[in-house]
mmCIF file of all heavy atoms in Angstrom:
data_model
loop_
_atom_site.group_PDB
_atom_site.id
_atom_site.type_symbol
_atom_site.label_atom_id
_atom_site.label_comp_id
_atom_site.label_asym_id
_atom_site.label_seq_id
_atom_site.Cartn_x
_atom_site.Cartn_y
_atom_site.Cartn_z
ATOM 1 N N ALA A 318 -33.344 73.119 67.261
ATOM 2 C CA ALA A 318 -33.053 71.842 67.107
ATOM 3 C C ALA A 318 -32.342 71.525 65.799
ATOM 4 O O ALA A 318 -31.340 70.823 65.719
ATOM 5 C CB ALA A 318 -34.237 71.012 67.263
ATOM 6 N N THR A 319 -32.813 72.286 64.756
ATOM 7 C CA THR A 319 -32.210 72.107 63.413
ATOM 8 C C THR A 319 -30.800 72.617 63.402
ATOM 9 O O THR A 319 -29.861 72.127 62.785
ATOM 10 C CB THR A 319 -33.106 72.870 62.341
ATOM 11 O OG1 THR A 319 -34.358 72.207 62.307
ATOM 12 C CG2 THR A 319 -32.584 72.509 60.996
ATOM 13 N N ARG A 320 -30.634 73.802 63.986
ATOM 14 C CA ARG A 320 -29.269 74.418 64.122
ATOM 15 C C ARG A 320 -28.249 73.545 64.807
ATOM 16 O O ARG A 320 -27.181 73.319 64.457
ATOM 17 C CB ARG A 320 -29.348 75.741 64.743
ATOM 18 C CG ARG A 320 -29.939 76.757 63.813
ATOM 19 C CD ARG A 320 -29.755 78.190 64.328
ATOM 20 N NE ARG A 320 -30.155 78.501 65.627
ATOM 21 C CZ ARG A 320 -31.368 79.003 66.018
ATOM 22 N NH1 ARG A 320 -32.261 79.283 65.136
ATOM 23 N NH2 ARG A 320 -31.635 79.223 67.252
ATOM 24 N N LYS A 321 -28.840 72.892 65.783
ATOM 25 C CA LYS A 321 -27.906 71.941 66.608
ATOM 26 C C LYS A 321 -27.512 70.720 65.670
ATOM 27 O O LYS A 321 -26.429 70.325 65.741
ATOM 28 C CB LYS A 321 -28.633 71.432 67.904
ATOM 29 C CG LYS A 321 -27.932 70.570 68.711
ATOM 30 C CD LYS A 321 -28.530 70.109 70.001
ATOM 31 C CE LYS A 321 -27.734 69.125 70.836
ATOM 32 N NZ LYS A 321 -28.377 68.642 72.013
ATOM 33 N N LEU A 322 -28.493 70.140 65.055
ATOM 34 C CA LEU A 322 -28.150 69.018 64.107
ATOM 35 C C LEU A 322 -27.270 69.473 63.082
ATOM 36 O O LEU A 322 -26.231 68.932 62.718
ATOM 37 C CB LEU A 322 -29.444 68.506 63.459
ATOM 38 C CG LEU A 322 -29.262 67.542 62.321
ATOM 39 C CD1 LEU A 322 -28.803 66.152 62.834
ATOM 40 C CD2 LEU A 322 -30.594 67.374 61.559
ATOM 41 N N ALA A 323 -27.476 70.663 62.330
ATOM 42 C CA ALA A 323 -26.691 71.149 61.377
ATOM 43 C C ALA A 323 -25.219 71.425 61.823
ATOM 44 O O ALA A 323 -24.257 71.129 61.215
ATOM 45 C CB ALA A 323 -27.211 72.505 60.856
ATOM 46 N N THR A 324 -25.032 71.952 62.987
ATOM 47 C CA THR A 324 -23.729 72.157 63.561
ATOM 48 C C THR A 324 -22.847 70.942 63.574
ATOM 49 O O THR A 324 -21.789 70.933 63.186
ATOM 50 C CB THR A 324 -23.856 72.854 64.889
ATOM 51 O OG1 THR A 324 -24.479 74.134 64.819
ATOM 52 C CG2 THR A 324 -22.353 73.018 65.576
ATOM 53 N N GLN A 325 -23.553 69.872 64.086
ATOM 54 C CA GLN A 325 -22.851 68.534 64.141
ATOM 55 C C GLN A 325 -22.427 68.043 62.846
ATOM 56 O O GLN A 325 -21.378 67.483 62.569
ATOM 57 C CB GLN A 325 -23.792 67.562 64.956
ATOM 58 C CG GLN A 325 -23.057 66.392 65.171
ATOM 59 C CD GLN A 325 -21.781 66.333 66.200
ATOM 60 O OE1 GLN A 325 -21.902 66.936 67.210
ATOM 61 N NE2 GLN A 325 -20.635 65.925 65.687
ATOM 62 N N LEU A 326 -23.485 68.217 61.911
ATOM 63 C CA LEU A 326 -23.220 67.564 60.597
ATOM 64 C C LEU A 326 -22.172 68.361 59.744
ATOM 65 O O LEU A 326 -21.257 67.699 59.256
ATOM 66 C CB LEU A 326 -24.575 67.603 59.782
ATOM 67 C CG LEU A 326 -25.710 66.819 60.288
ATOM 68 C CD1 LEU A 326 -26.935 66.845 59.295
ATOM 69 C CD2 LEU A 326 -25.354 65.256 60.537
ATOM 70 N N VAL A 327 -22.157 69.635 59.940
ATOM 71 C CA VAL A 327 -21.021 70.368 59.323
ATOM 72 C C VAL A 327 -19.633 70.002 59.873
ATOM 73 O O VAL A 327 -18.776 69.781 59.110
ATOM 74 C CB VAL A 327 -21.315 71.919 59.469
ATOM 75 C CG1 VAL A 327 -20.059 72.721 59.079
ATOM 76 C CG2 VAL A 327 -22.552 72.287 58.710
ATOM 77 N N LYS A 328 -19.598 69.953 61.207
ATOM 78 C CA LYS A 328 -18.309 69.586 61.794
ATOM 79 C C LYS A 328 -17.816 68.147 61.432
ATOM 80 O O LYS A 328 -16.659 68.017 60.975
ATOM 81 C CB LYS A 328 -18.463 69.650 63.253
ATOM 82 C CG LYS A 328 -17.381 69.099 64.150
ATOM 83 C CD LYS A 328 -17.602 69.187 65.692
ATOM 84 C CE LYS A 328 -16.607 68.270 66.279
ATOM 85 N NZ LYS A 328 -17.241 67.388 67.290
ATOM 86 N N ASP A 329 -18.735 67.250 61.387
ATOM 87 C CA ASP A 329 -18.425 65.737 61.071
ATOM 88 C C ASP A 329 -18.105 65.731 59.476
ATOM 89 O O ASP A 329 -17.107 64.948 59.083
ATOM 90 C CB ASP A 329 -19.499 64.870 61.430
ATOM 91 C CG ASP A 329 -19.700 64.676 62.928
ATOM 92 O OD1 ASP A 329 -18.638 65.066 63.671
ATOM 93 O OD2 ASP A 329 -20.622 64.134 63.320
ATOM 94 N N HIS A 330 -18.836 66.391 58.698
ATOM 95 C CA HIS A 330 -18.493 66.234 57.230
ATOM 96 C C HIS A 330 -17.341 67.114 56.794
ATOM 97 O O HIS A 330 -16.732 66.812 55.823
ATOM 98 C CB HIS A 330 -19.750 66.772 56.386
ATOM 99 C CG HIS A 330 -20.702 65.436 56.374
ATOM 100 N ND1 HIS A 330 -20.588 64.336 55.722
ATOM 101 C CD2 HIS A 330 -21.818 65.347 57.248
ATOM 102 C CE1 HIS A 330 -21.568 63.481 56.072
ATOM 103 N NE2 HIS A 330 -22.409 64.021 56.954
ATOM 104 N N GLN A 331 -16.935 68.208 57.508
ATOM 105 C CA GLN A 331 -15.688 68.807 57.328
ATOM 106 C C GLN A 331 -14.537 67.860 57.561
ATOM 107 O O GLN A 331 -13.581 67.822 56.904
ATOM 108 C CB GLN A 331 -15.569 70.103 58.050
ATOM 109 C CG GLN A 331 -16.416 71.262 57.548
ATOM 110 C CD GLN A 331 -16.439 72.512 58.392
ATOM 111 O OE1 GLN A 331 -16.413 72.432 59.744
ATOM 112 N NE2 GLN A 331 -16.692 73.536 57.905
ATOM 113 N N LYS A 332 -14.650 67.047 58.570
ATOM 114 C CA LYS A 332 -13.695 66.052 58.962
ATOM 115 C C LYS A 332 -13.619 65.031 57.908
ATOM 116 O O LYS A 332 -12.511 64.671 57.475
ATOM 117 C CB LYS A 332 -14.043 65.487 60.223
ATOM 118 C CG LYS A 332 -13.051 64.367 60.895
ATOM 119 C CD LYS A 332 -13.557 63.879 62.089
ATOM 120 C CE LYS A 332 -12.520 62.785 62.608
ATOM 121 N NZ LYS A 332 -13.104 61.617 63.220
ATOM 122 N N THR A 333 -14.639 64.425 57.356
ATOM 123 C CA THR A 333 -14.613 63.513 56.338
ATOM 124 C C THR A 333 -14.035 63.968 55.076
ATOM 125 O O THR A 333 -13.286 63.317 54.444
ATOM 126 C CB THR A 333 -16.026 62.684 56.123
ATOM 127 O OG1 THR A 333 -16.938 63.639 55.786
ATOM 128 C CG2 THR A 333 -16.576 61.871 57.325
ATOM 129 N N THR A 334 -14.378 65.277 54.802
ATOM 130 C CA THR A 334 -13.696 65.846 53.674
ATOM 131 C C THR A 334 -12.241 66.021 53.682
ATOM 132 O O THR A 334 -11.535 65.620 52.767
ATOM 133 C CB THR A 334 -14.436 67.329 53.288
ATOM 134 O OG1 THR A 334 -15.754 67.073 53.114
ATOM 135 C CG2 THR A 334 -13.665 67.897 52.277
ATOM 136 N N ALA A 335 -11.743 66.410 54.936
ATOM 137 C CA ALA A 335 -10.312 66.539 55.084
ATOM 138 C C ALA A 335 -9.797 65.143 55.038
ATOM 139 O O ALA A 335 -8.556 65.014 54.441
ATOM 140 C CB ALA A 335 -10.074 67.193 56.527
ATOM 141 N N GLU A 336 -10.235 64.075 55.624
ATOM 142 C CA GLU A 336 -9.693 62.717 55.630
ATOM 143 C C GLU A 336 -9.628 62.238 54.152
ATOM 144 O O GLU A 336 -8.728 61.690 53.684
ATOM 145 C CB GLU A 336 -10.686 61.807 56.430
ATOM 146 C CG GLU A 336 -10.521 62.035 57.917
ATOM 147 C CD GLU A 336 -11.541 61.189 58.710
ATOM 148 O OE1 GLU A 336 -12.388 60.508 58.151
ATOM 149 O OE2 GLU A 336 -11.353 61.185 59.914
ATOM 150 N N LEU A 337 -10.660 62.426 53.334
ATOM 151 C CA LEU A 337 -10.841 61.942 52.013
ATOM 152 C C LEU A 337 -9.660 62.761 51.195
ATOM 153 O O LEU A 337 -8.970 62.090 50.421
ATOM 154 C CB LEU A 337 -12.117 62.273 51.379
ATOM 155 C CG LEU A 337 -12.436 61.566 49.976
ATOM 156 C CD1 LEU A 337 -12.107 60.092 49.956
ATOM 157 C CD2 LEU A 337 -13.913 61.872 49.585
ATOM 158 N N LYS A 338 -9.556 64.117 51.363
ATOM 159 C CA LYS A 338 -8.492 64.854 50.712
ATOM 160 C C LYS A 338 -7.168 64.298 50.990
ATOM 161 O O LYS A 338 -6.299 64.154 50.218
ATOM 162 C CB LYS A 338 -8.626 66.347 51.068
ATOM 163 C CG LYS A 338 -9.779 66.985 50.333
ATOM 164 C CD LYS A 338 -9.842 68.404 50.664
ATOM 165 C CE LYS A 338 -10.982 69.138 49.902
ATOM 166 N NZ LYS A 338 -11.094 70.602 50.291
ATOM 167 N N GLY A 339 -6.958 63.923 52.334
ATOM 168 C CA GLY A 339 -5.667 63.381 52.797
ATOM 169 C C GLY A 339 -5.367 62.007 52.137
ATOM 170 O O GLY A 339 -4.204 61.867 51.747
ATOM 171 N N LEU A 340 -6.177 61.211 52.000
ATOM 172 C CA LEU A 340 -6.123 59.867 51.353
ATOM 173 C C LEU A 340 -5.658 60.030 49.913
ATOM 174 O O LEU A 340 -4.757 59.403 49.299
ATOM 175 C CB LEU A 340 -7.373 59.032 51.338
ATOM 176 C CG LEU A 340 -7.746 58.568 52.762
ATOM 177 C CD1 LEU A 340 -8.981 57.802 52.799
ATOM 178 C CD2 LEU A 340 -6.739 57.519 53.434
ATOM 179 N N ILE A 341 -6.246 61.025 49.201
ATOM 180 C CA ILE A 341 -5.884 61.323 47.829
ATOM 181 C C ILE A 341 -4.484 61.921 47.736
ATOM 182 O O ILE A 341 -3.630 61.637 46.988
ATOM 183 C CB ILE A 341 -6.984 62.223 47.142
ATOM 184 C CG1 ILE A 341 -8.286 61.412 47.071
ATOM 185 C CG2 ILE A 341 -6.434 62.755 45.811
ATOM 186 C CD1 ILE A 341 -9.484 62.179 46.720
ATOM 187 N N ALA A 342 -4.239 63.023 48.693
ATOM 188 C CA ALA A 342 -2.956 63.702 48.652
ATOM 189 C C ALA A 342 -1.797 62.763 48.920
ATOM 190 O O ALA A 342 -0.774 62.936 48.198
ATOM 191 C CB ALA A 342 -2.982 64.847 49.603
ATOM 192 N N MET A 343 -2.028 61.693 49.720
ATOM 193 C CA MET A 343 -0.758 60.798 50.132
ATOM 194 C C MET A 343 -0.797 59.680 49.168
ATOM 195 O O MET A 343 0.111 58.834 49.097
ATOM 196 C CB MET A 343 -0.897 60.387 51.453
ATOM 197 C CG MET A 343 -2.088 59.341 51.696
ATOM 198 S SD MET A 343 -2.144 58.964 53.464
ATOM 199 C CE MET A 343 -2.365 57.128 53.454
ATOM 200 N N GLY A 344 -1.655 59.700 48.035
ATOM 201 C CA GLY A 344 -1.522 58.760 47.063
ATOM 202 C C GLY A 344 -2.200 57.396 47.336
ATOM 203 O O GLY A 344 -2.110 56.467 46.511
ATOM 204 N N ALA A 345 -2.870 57.248 48.482
ATOM 205 C CA ALA A 345 -3.446 55.885 48.877
ATOM 206 C C ALA A 345 -4.725 55.796 48.047
ATOM 207 O O ALA A 345 -5.197 54.620 47.850
ATOM 208 C CB ALA A 345 -3.921 56.018 50.363
ATOM 209 N N VAL A 346 -5.411 56.831 47.522
ATOM 210 C CA VAL A 346 -6.538 56.735 46.668
ATOM 211 C C VAL A 346 -6.209 57.620 45.445
ATOM 212 O O VAL A 346 -5.922 58.811 45.601
ATOM 213 C CB VAL A 346 -7.877 57.261 47.425
ATOM 214 C CG1 VAL A 346 -8.966 57.319 46.516
ATOM 215 C CG2 VAL A 346 -8.111 56.443 48.727
ATOM 216 N N LYS A 347 -6.441 56.779 44.249
ATOM 217 C CA LYS A 347 -6.215 57.633 43.029
ATOM 218 C C LYS A 347 -7.590 57.958 42.408
ATOM 219 O O LYS A 347 -8.282 57.189 41.825
ATOM 220 C CB LYS A 347 -5.546 56.695 42.073
ATOM 221 C CG LYS A 347 -4.249 56.116 42.698
ATOM 222 C CD LYS A 347 -3.026 56.357 41.768
ATOM 223 C CE LYS A 347 -1.774 55.746 42.290
ATOM 224 N NZ LYS A 347 -1.342 56.146 43.588
ATOM 225 N N ALA A 348 -7.836 59.167 42.705
ATOM 226 C CA ALA A 348 -9.245 59.786 42.131
ATOM 227 C C ALA A 348 -9.106 61.256 42.288
ATOM 228 O O ALA A 348 -8.216 61.756 42.983
ATOM 229 C CB ALA A 348 -10.411 59.354 43.018
ATOM 230 N N SER A 349 -9.893 61.928 41.541
ATOM 231 C CA SER A 349 -9.955 63.415 41.748
ATOM 232 C C SER A 349 -11.286 63.810 42.438
ATOM 233 O O SER A 349 -12.402 63.150 42.313
ATOM 234 C CB SER A 349 -9.789 64.172 40.382
ATOM 235 O OG SER A 349 -11.022 63.557 39.424
ATOM 236 N N LEU A 350 -11.193 64.926 43.079
ATOM 237 C CA LEU A 350 -12.379 65.341 43.798
ATOM 238 C C LEU A 350 -13.270 66.377 42.926
ATOM 239 O O LEU A 350 -12.548 67.182 42.158
ATOM 240 C CB LEU A 350 -12.017 66.196 45.145
ATOM 241 C CG LEU A 350 -11.390 65.269 46.165
ATOM 242 C CD1 LEU A 350 -10.813 66.223 47.203
ATOM 243 C CD2 LEU A 350 -12.429 64.431 46.764
ATOM 244 N N PRO A 351 -14.517 66.285 42.926
ATOM 245 C CA PRO A 351 -15.323 67.229 42.141
ATOM 246 C C PRO A 351 -15.316 68.625 42.752
ATOM 247 O O PRO A 351 -14.938 68.726 43.972
ATOM 248 C CB PRO A 351 -16.693 66.597 42.242
ATOM 249 C CG PRO A 351 -16.726 65.807 43.520
ATOM 250 C CD PRO A 351 -15.266 65.403 43.674
ATOM 251 N N LYS A 352 -15.530 69.593 41.897
ATOM 252 C CA LYS A 352 -15.634 70.946 42.498
ATOM 253 C C LYS A 352 -17.030 71.475 42.550
ATOM 254 O O LYS A 352 -17.254 72.541 43.168
ATOM 255 C CB LYS A 352 -14.819 71.770 41.539
ATOM 256 C CG LYS A 352 -13.364 71.382 41.341
ATOM 257 C CD LYS A 352 -12.490 72.433 41.041
ATOM 258 C CE LYS A 352 -10.998 72.068 40.761
ATOM 259 N NZ LYS A 352 -10.511 71.095 41.463
ATOM 260 N N GLU A 353 -18.012 70.700 42.167
ATOM 261 C CA GLU A 353 -19.431 71.187 42.097
ATOM 262 C C GLU A 353 -20.434 70.021 42.667
ATOM 263 O O GLU A 353 -19.999 68.907 42.673
ATOM 264 C CB GLU A 353 -19.787 71.553 40.771
ATOM 265 C CG GLU A 353 -19.153 72.686 40.187
ATOM 266 C CD GLU A 353 -19.447 73.046 38.669
ATOM 267 O OE1 GLU A 353 -20.446 72.261 38.273
ATOM 268 O OE2 GLU A 353 -19.037 74.086 38.241
#
Side-chain angles (χ1 to χ4, degrees):
T319 302
R320 288 195 304 268
K321 182 178 178 186
L322 172 67
T324 298
Q325 185 66 53
L326 297 185
V327 168
K328 178 180 158 229
D329 290 347
H330 286 281
Q331 286 173 331
K332 180 182 178 215
T333 57
T334 295
E336 290 171 352
L337 189 57
K338 286 180 178 179
L340 292 174
I341 292 169
M343 68 185 226
V346 174
K347 306 237 183 299
S349 58
L350 292 170
K352 304 211 184 312
E353 298 177 353

